Amino acid sequence: MKKHLLAVAIATLAAGSAMAQANDTLAKIKSSGSVTLGVRESSGALAYTLGDGKYVGFHTEMAENIVKDLQKQLALSKVDVKYQPVTSQNRIPLVVNGTVDLECGSTTNDL
């Protein structure tokens, strides 16, 4: 029973932390008027660069559509989109530390 309660407590804290981080990110986007997207430079047809700072592919388009929705939800007339190249190894840490606001990709975070 104690293990069950401990697991519930840990899950509750993790969920609360994730919600606080999400709210902080939304507040940051609203106050700055910009969002930084984590993008892959080569991930097959799902995401890649055309060079010269242009990124395309399903993952990039998905993130850009989310930004459009955020712009409406946050009542911003414009949102500047910045692109930050990420790798499989650094994308989770860059989201966690706030360097990247959003990363849409085939991402897993496991041991």
Side-chain angles (χ1 to χ4, degrees), residues 14-33:
S17 176
M19 289 300 292
Q21 184 177 4
N23 288 334
D24 290 346
T25 301
L26 292 175
K28 177 179 143 186
I29 293 168
K30 184 167 180 121
S31 68
S32 69

Side-chain angles (χ1 to χ4, degrees), residues 45-94:
L46 296 174
Y48 54 95
T49 181
L50 297 174
D52 201 28
K54 294 183 178 123
Y55 295 89
V56 294
F58 179 74
H59 293 166
T60 305
E61 289 178 30
M62 186 191 265
E64 290 169 344
N65 285 331
I66 291 170
V67 170
K68 287 177 190 175
D69 288 343
L70 285 175
Q71 180 179 347
K72 290 177 189 173
Q73 184 180 21
L74 298 174
L76 295 171
S77 60
K78 181 181 177 190
V79 174
D80 292 319
V81 179
K82 301 172 187 170
Y83 298 92
Q84 172 67 47
V86 297
T87 65
S88 296
Q89 294 77 23
N90 71 6
R91 56 190 168 178
I92 300 284
L94 291 177

Side-chain angles (χ1 to χ4, degrees), residues 2 10 20 24-25 33 35 37 40 42-44 46 51 56-57 59 69 79 83 91 95 100 103-106:
K2 287 183 180 182
I10 290 172
D24 290 346
T25 301
V35 62
L37 300 181
R40 298 290 299 269
S42 64
S43 185
L46 296 174
V56 294
H59 293 166
D69 288 343
V79 174
Y83 298 92
R91 56 190 168 178
V95 170
V100 170
E103 190 264 341
C104 292
S106 52

